[in-house]
Amino acid sequence: MHSRKRLFIGLFLLFTIMVLMALAYLIFYLREPDTIIFQYGIYILIGFLAALAGTSLLVLTVLVISLLKKRPLTGFNRLVQKTLVFFFPLLLQFGKLLRISTEQIQSSFIEINNRLVEAKKIKVPAQKLLLLLPHCLQDEGCPHKITRNPFNCRRCGNCSIGTLIDMADRWQFKIQVVTGGTLARQAVGKIKPYCILAVACERDLSSGIVDSYPMPVCGVLNERPQGPCFNTMVCLDSLEQKVRSILE
Ligand code: SF4
């Protein structure tokens, strides 16, 4: 069997074995509740669940206070962001079970992430700010290839790219147009920014934020008047405001 398939099946098997062991443990516990080993096991399980619930409660409290105060609570910011990134995929699945739209949950996650990043009041030099743009912002009929070099844009005014290149020229921050996660990761690896300002749809932004952790990513949702991935737009004023707030 191919090693990539083996890894997935191996992890799946490990998970199944762990569930079976937990099940066997519970069955034996119900049959022999007074055996000392089962009593210790139950205490360990209670301790684990209590730690999990305690961390969730602490993170929720810190999160709400930080959002209300618009500043991070010293010492907790890393824990909050780590927990959010860890729980996000689980909450997506949980939301699906409750029939809440995935896009709504992603959008809410992006909003919370942005508020936490803004609360940190990050300031970076222009050369260390990367503006990541999706390829679908480019006018569908434009013949110029801007994914490798965005400065191939002729700034004709048919789409927002020209104005954003002007902005990058004026403020001297880095700009990259990407077709997906691979190019985005390459750009981040090459430029090594301290902060990313990313424009994309809910799905790409939320997965980008999770992938890039602990790099601070401020997400801006694109507008899709003609449907997804086609001649999309972005609010240039709010984008410029965000650039100003991040630059030193
Ligand atoms: S502004 Fe640039 S990317 Fe947009 S259509 Fe004109 S040349 Fe193409």
Side-chain angles (χ1 to χ4, degrees):
M1 206 188 302
H2 197 284
S3 65
R4 275 186 298 180
K5 287 180 205 141
R6 274 206 300 265
L7 176 64
F8 182 80
I9 290 177
L11 283 174
F12 205 170
L13 182 66
L14 184 66
F15 176 75
T16 312
I17 289 173
M18 283 168 70
V19 172
L20 283 174
M21 280 170 65
L23 199 61
Y25 181 88
L26 282 175
I27 290 170
F28 282 120
Y29 172 72
L30 288 174
R31 288 172 56 145
E32 306 276 346
D34 293 332
T35 313
I36 196 85
I37 187 168
F38 291 131
Q39 286 177 2
Y40 280 133
I42 284 298
Y43 289 137
I44 292 170
L45 187 65
I46 290 172
F48 173 73
L49 289 177
L52 197 65
T55 311
S56 302
L57 268 179
L58 175 72
V59 167
L60 267 176
T61 313
V62 172
L63 182 61
V64 172
I65 295 175
S66 316
L67 293 177
L68 289 177
K69 290 192 158 190
K70 295 189 178 169
R71 66 178 173 81
L73 290 192
T74 323
F76 287 108
N77 211 41
R78 211 177 164 81
L79 173 73
V80 169
Q81 284 199 308
K82 229 178 204 173
T83 313
L84 283 184
V85 165
F86 176 77
F87 274 109
F88 174 63
L90 302 176
L91 291 180
L92 261 190
Q93 298 308 319
F94 184 56
K96 269 187 194 168
L97 280 180
L98 300 178
R99 296 186 177 278
I100 300 171
S101 116
T102 303
E103 220 167 67
Q104 268 180 304
I105 303 171
Q106 289 164 335
S107 170
S108 171
F109 171 70
I110 295 162
E111 187 60 32
I112 288 182
N113 166 76
N114 285 356
R115 296 284 288 273
L116 289 175
V117 172
E118 281 162 19
K120 282 201 251 176
K121 300 197 188 326
I122 294 170
K123 291 282 177 199
V124 300
Q127 291 298 308
K128 288 294 177 185
L129 171 65
L130 171 62
L131 175 61
L132 271 182
L133 302 172
H135 184 230
C136 56
L137 270 188
Q138 184 179 25
D139 182 83
E140 185 65 13
C142 175
H144 303 293
K145 188 159 174 58
I146 55 171
T147 45
R148 286 288 164 194
N149 180 7
F151 290 90
N152 285 338
C153 164
R154 297 293 180 268
R155 310 183 196 196
C156 69
N158 280 349
C159 71
S160 343
I161 299 284
T163 316
L164 293 167
I165 299 284
D166 281 344
M167 220 188 272
D169 259 350
R170 192 163 63 250
W171 297 93
Q172 291 295 299
F173 58 79
K174 301 286 183 185
I175 185 168
Q176 202 68 48
V177 181
V178 294
T179 48
T182 308
L183 270 190
R185 274 187 289 278
Q186 275 178 12
V188 172
K190 200 171 87 188
I191 295 168
K192 299 193 179 9
Y194 294 161
C195 181
I196 300 172
L197 187 53
V199 178
C201 61
E202 287 84 350
R203 191 196 60 185
D204 288 357
L205 269 184
S206 52
S207 62
I209 291 167
V210 172
D211 281 353
S212 312
Y213 178 81
M215 169 97 57
V217 180
C218 196
V220 180
L221 285 173
N222 59 5
E223 295 160 18
R224 291 152 282 180
Q226 298 183 46
C229 311
F230 184 78
N231 286 345
T232 61
M233 296 157 79
V234 63
C235 175
L236 297 169
D237 286 340
S238 73
L239 203 62
E240 184 160 15
Q241 246 179 26
K242 283 191 192 294
V243 169
R244 280 168 188 264
S245 69
I246 297 170
L247 288 187
E248 274 176 353

